Amino acid sequence: MYLETKAIHAGRKVDPSTGAITLPFHPSTTFERSADGSFPSGYEYIRDDNPTRHAFETAMAALEGGQAAVAFSSGMAAITAVFEGHASKGNRIVVPDDMYFGIRSLIDETDIGHRFDFVAVDMRDMDALRAAVGAAPTGLVWIETPSNPLIRIVDIRATCDLAHEAGALAVVDNTWATPVLQRPFELGADAVVHSATKYIGGHSDLMAGVVVLPEASPLERPLRMIQRHKGSVAAPFDCWLALRGLQTLPVRMRAHCEGAQKVAEALRKHSAVEAVLFPGLPGDPGHALAGRQMSGYGAMLSFIVGGGAEAAMTVAGRLKLVVRATSLGGTHSLIEHRASVEGPKSMAPSGLLRLSVGLEHPQDIIDDLQQALSVAG
């Protein structure tokens, strides 16, 4: 089946008892045993498995072209589980130097930073990456592309090849691209991670994370044990909402991408904007690579306002349609000054604003940005 069809049907069937075409929501925490003490339904307790969560995991595995998926309570829970679950491969993890700031905080502020040896490198530089991976036994290479918020594009196939040569696993965070735009398994990835809170859900009304795995993955059992015994499982209702979101994911991503392209082109022409970071622009450093490994350029972009932090904050504060809020991937366009959010360790330039282009008409988004930028121009 094509992706659009899988997005609607994978993991779901018409309910045999009612004929309902929408998957029932199963909030039950426990399930009945038969007379002999067995569980004929295959379900025992919500932390172990749940019909709604199982459906979501099945659907995500189908969309990414994997064999199994493990759903967690958030994207950060999924990321943490991957770090912990790979431990048998070694405690050295190579990460991008412009890693998602949530991971930087995880390293700095929890025991994860003490339990594992994290090495940061610019993954666009193959020589630097090769040196980092080969400097000592490495268990995991963590790949983010496009990156947050610098919108860098990393060569997934080349990075996976380097990881495998060193005996390491290669894991791709596919949150921003989604399976609609990017197919990490086809490029050599050993696992694919999503914050389903973002484009998978698509409506800014749920929190969940998911790790998708290929057949016979060494990560499946440890991830299942972490999910089950540490209890960071995705709630049934969040899984039900995510399944609802999946049905429109392909068409939403096409609309998001179309809008982002128009917004990026308009921003590039504005005198108050020093730079637009978006791979859909021909002059962007990642344009050619994104064109090879993605089927669209995504809907996330950053732009740098002349005048630094003060000017950027003024522009953000003048917006009337675009909402000044954290997160991304929903119907509403959202903007954020990342340097002030991330603090002193941020790699974001002081004048950078990160923009998640929503599903409003692109011209309305452009008009709002232009009126806000008029004070900086």
Side-chain angles (χ1 to χ4, degrees):
M1 292 187 290
Y2 287 92
L3 192 70
E4 291 84 353
T5 308
K6 289 181 182 179
I8 295 170
H9 292 278
R12 288 149 285 185
K13 296 179 180 179
V14 172
D15 182 46
S17 62
T18 65
I21 63 169
T22 297
L23 183 81
F25 164 51
H26 294 280
S28 184
T29 60
T30 193
F31 301 85
E32 185 181 29
R33 295 178 185 266
S34 64
D36 64 2
S38 65
F39 291 93
S41 68
Y43 298 102
E44 177 180 355
Y45 181 64
I46 190 171
R47 185 159 40 80
D48 299 330
D49 204 357
N50 170 277
T52 313
R53 190 173 85 228
H54 181 78
F56 173 54
E57 291 176 338
T58 301
M60 283 303 305
L63 260 65
E64 278 288 6
Q67 186 271 333
V70 187
F72 293 90
S73 55
S74 67
M76 284 306 304
I79 291 167
T80 304
V82 170
F83 290 164
E84 293 184 322
H86 96 287
S88 62
K89 296 283 291 181
N91 73 342
R92 192 168 186 271
I93 302 174
V94 174
V95 294
D97 60 349
D98 66 330
M99 72 191 87
Y100 167 50
F101 201 77
I103 295 179
R104 190 178 299 278
S105 299
L106 178 72
I107 295 169
D108 291 345
E109 299 178 17
T110 77
D111 66 321
I112 292 292
H114 302 294
R115 292 167 54 195
F116 300 97
D117 179 18
F118 288 90
V119 179
V121 63
D122 184 345
M123 289 194 179
R124 299 170 301 174
D125 184 338
M126 286 293 111
D127 291 334
L129 178 61
R130 184 178 291 104
V133 173
T138 299
L140 180 70
V141 176
W142 178 262
I143 304 165
E144 298 179 18
T145 182
S147 72
N148 179 7
L150 300 182
I151 327 291
R152 292 176 176 175
I153 305 298
V154 173
D155 190 326
I156 296 175
R157 187 183 299 280
T159 304
C160 289
D161 287 346
L162 278 179
H164 296 155
E165 289 170 10
L169 297 173
V171 179
V172 176
D173 185 333
N174 207 28
T175 298
W176 280 24
T178 82
V180 178
L181 305 181
Q182 192 163 261
R183 313 293 296 173
F185 285 130
E186 296 173 11
L187 300 171
D190 297 297
V192 177
V193 177
H194 287 273
S195 170
T197 310
K198 312 304 192 297
Y199 289 105
I200 298 299
H203 294 78
S204 303
D205 57 7
L206 69 92
M207 184 169 68
V210 62
V211 183
V212 185
L213 303 167
E215 188 174 0
S217 171
L219 285 172
E220 183 169 5
R221 176 170 171 75
L223 289 180
R224 290 284 183 207
M225 293 305 99
I226 291 168
Q227 181 196 50
R228 178 175 299 175
H229 300 309
K230 292 195 172 184
S232 58
V233 296
F237 188 55
D238 286 328
C239 292
W240 188 87
L241 288 171
L243 282 163
R244 180 202 62 180
L246 281 180
Q247 295 177 83
T248 58
L249 178 64
V251 292
R252 281 191 289 108
M253 289 310 297
R254 286 196 286 270
H256 278 300
C257 290
E258 180 183 346
Q261 185 71 38
K262 293 178 180 178
V263 170
E265 290 172 355
L267 285 171
R268 182 180 57 175
K269 300 173 184 177
H270 200 286
S271 60
V273 176
E274 292 184 348
V276 179
L277 312 181
F278 180 66
L281 298 175
D284 188 89
H287 178 71
L289 176 56
R292 293 195 300 271
Q293 72 181 20
M294 300 175 71
S295 60
Y297 296 109
M300 295 298 301
L301 62 90
S302 293
F303 61 99
I304 300 173
V305 179
E310 184 178 352
M313 295 285 268
T314 299
V315 169
R318 281 178 53 88
L319 290 163
K320 300 175 181 178
L321 174 69
V322 178
V323 181
R324 191 174 182 178
T326 296
S327 200
L328 56 103
T331 56
H332 291 60
S333 292
L334 305 178
I335 200 163
E336 192 166 52
H337 183 254
R338 289 303 296 175
S340 62
V341 171
E342 296 177 359
K345 292 187 177 181
S346 177
M347 289 185 65
S350 63
L352 182 144
L353 292 171
R354 188 192 72 181
L355 175 64
S356 171
V357 177
L359 296 179
E360 302 95 344
H361 193 285
Q363 191 58 54
D364 288 328
I365 302 171
I366 292 167
D367 290 346
D368 192 31
L369 289 165
Q370 288 179 336
Q371 66 81 21
L373 284 162
S374 64
V375 297

